[in-house]
Amino acid sequence: MAPPDEGAGAAAGGARRRWVRRETLLGLALGQFVSLLITATGFASSELARRGINAPTSQSLLNYILLAVAYGGVLLYRRQPLTIKWYYYLILGIIDVEANYIVVKSYQYTSLTSVMLLDCWSIPCVIVLTWVFLKTKYGLRKFLGVGVCVVGLILVVFSDVHASDRAKGPNPLKGDLFVILGSMLYACSNVTEEFVIKKSNRVELMAMLGLFGAIVSGIQISILERKELHSITWTSGAVLPFVGFAVAMFLFYSTVPIILKICGATMLNLSLLTSDMWAVLICIFAYHEKVDWIYFVAFAATAGGIVLYSYKGSNEVEETAQVAGASDEHGKDRDEEAGTRNPV
């Protein structure tokens, strides 16, 4: 019979492993939730474009304001000092705003097919950045999962080419370079957020990102989109997509830090690959459009790649459980320290 302390340790280890498995499932579910949110923002942007409204920075401004007000209010209520210097958040805000702007802008120059394919460039960028700066370890199964996901998205591109002849856009090279640059900025933004969320907390990250994102967006709008905003006729058909886009982005930004803390930036970017597939399913059931059968194969491949990437072996589960336990102890120490400084 095992000594009591060994039995307790085994029970604790088993509980931690079960917690890690639940955490993995939660990460998968949240990944698809944010993927659906991105799909919603795509439909909102398409509706605005259909109405001749081209103001990508203005679309994001309301989201940043919502983040600043909601999370900034909580941050002020807690009266806790910033755990990370403010200028890091300023840099993150600039990167995030410009990433959104550049990718949306690329649609004016190149085809949707090219954007979908080249947007995958964010995945290897994230892997390299997390490996270099965050010391994230990637095994063969992780790379295999990434490869399966990318194959799934390439199948979508081939399906688009097979289904119809698409215009390549007025300046494909310029548009493709925009997508590549935007994907690199997205990767930098995601990895920076992953670093911040593991050093700080979600409320501080969202509050400061919202604050500086709103400031940067406001400056950029005054320079680039002022005339466009004056020319818009603000009917309900124009206002509703703007509001819908902002709400979806607010929920997206609020959920992303949770995924980054659970699964990391690579898993987030892999999950977002399914947004194109969700868009196809919505078109089928909501708009009764016909799509190529390759889409369904691509969806299955991408989903399988995400599951393969997120699967943890016994060694990984044990290591993650130990890290989680250490993080919990660290969090308790910080809470106790905060309680000592700010007694109720």
Side-chain angles (χ1 to χ4, degrees):
M1 182 176 178
D5 56 342
E6 292 182 5
R16 283 179 178 175
R17 282 191 288 271
R18 286 193 297 272
W19 176 80
V20 169
R21 292 190 183 97
R22 287 196 297 269
E23 189 180 56
T24 301
L25 293 176
L26 177 62
L28 288 171
L30 290 177
Q32 293 314 297
F33 175 65
V34 297
S35 182
L36 283 169
L37 290 175
I38 286 296
T39 304
T41 62
F43 276 95
S45 298
S46 298
E47 180 62 21
L48 290 172
R50 190 180 68 84
R51 295 177 178 273
I53 299 174
N54 179 27
T57 310
S58 301
Q59 290 177 223
S60 301
L61 175 61
L62 182 55
N63 164 55
Y64 290 122
I65 292 175
L66 289 174
L67 290 173
V69 172
Y71 291 98
V74 176
L75 193 64
L76 291 174
Y77 176 78
R78 291 180 177 179
R79 297 182 180 179
Q80 292 180 350
L82 295 179
T83 57
I84 296 178
K85 298 295 184 181
W86 64 269
Y87 46 81
Y88 288 114
Y89 290 114
L90 173 60
I91 296 172
L92 176 60
I94 294 173
I95 294 173
D96 197 73
V97 170
E98 298 311 320
N100 287 326
Y101 176 81
I102 290 173
V103 171
V104 173
K105 195 73 173 177
S106 67
Y107 284 95
Q108 298 180 15
Y109 302 104
T110 190
S111 65
L112 174 63
T113 303
S114 297
V115 174
M116 289 169 57
L117 179 60
L118 294 173
D119 194 52
C120 294
W121 179 244
S122 63
I123 295 174
C125 291
V126 165
I127 291 176
V128 171
L129 290 173
T130 52
W131 178 64
V132 172
F133 295 104
L134 302 184
K135 309 302 180 185
T136 303
K137 297 179 181 179
Y138 294 99
L140 179 61
R141 186 173 60 250
K142 301 288 187 183
F143 286 110
L144 183 60
V146 171
V148 173
C149 285
V150 174
V151 167
L153 196 63
I154 291 175
L155 286 175
V156 175
V157 176
F158 284 151
S159 177
D160 286 340
V161 175
H162 176 262
S164 61
D165 295 326
R166 295 178 180 267
K168 293 184 177 180
N171 194 336
L173 179 59
K174 183 177 181 179
D176 292 348
L177 291 176
F178 271 20
V179 179
I180 293 173
L181 177 59
S183 298
M184 294 173 67
L185 290 176
Y186 274 137
C188 293
S189 176
N190 292 155
V191 174
T192 304
E193 287 183 31
E194 181 178 351
F195 171 79
V196 171
I197 198 63
K198 291 179 178 179
K199 297 290 184 181
S200 179
N201 59 78
R202 185 168 70 103
V203 173
E204 179 179 316
L205 171 62
M206 291 294 97
M208 301 308 291
L209 178 59
L211 174 63
F212 289 112
I215 293 173
V216 174
S217 296
I219 295 173
Q220 186 159 303
I221 289 170
S222 65
I223 298 173
L224 300 178
E225 298 180 6
R226 185 170 52 187
K227 293 182 179 179
E228 179 69 25
L229 291 178
H230 282 304
S231 65
I232 297 175
T233 302
W234 292 102
T235 62
S236 59
V239 172
L240 289 178
F242 254 97
V243 175
F245 179 90
V247 172
M249 287 296 286
F250 175 77
L251 294 174
F252 173 80
Y253 274 71
S254 299
T255 309
V256 161
I258 302 175
I259 301 175
L260 291 175
K261 195 167 187 177
I262 294 175
C263 306
T266 304
M267 180 64 180
L268 170 65
N269 282 268
L270 290 176
S271 297
L272 295 181
L273 291 181
T274 60
S275 60
D276 298 309
M277 287 72 164
W278 288 122
V280 170
L281 293 178
I282 292 174
C283 288
I284 292 173
F285 293 104
Y287 299 102
H288 306 290
E289 295 182 5
K290 294 183 179 180
V291 298
D292 199 271
W293 61 271
I294 300 179
Y295 269 109
F296 300 100
V297 178
F299 188 90
T302 304
I306 293 172
V307 172
L308 181 63
Y309 178 90
S310 62
Y311 175 78
K312 295 179 183 293
S314 57
N315 293 335
E316 292 175 296
V317 168
E318 183 65 30
E319 181 181 354
T320 306
Q322 292 174 359
V323 172
S327 299
D328 291 341
E329 292 297 327
H330 180 64
K332 290 178 181 177
D333 292 341
R334 288 180 59 183
D335 291 341
E336 291 174 359
E337 184 180 352
T340 303
R341 288 198 304 263
N342 302 304
V344 178

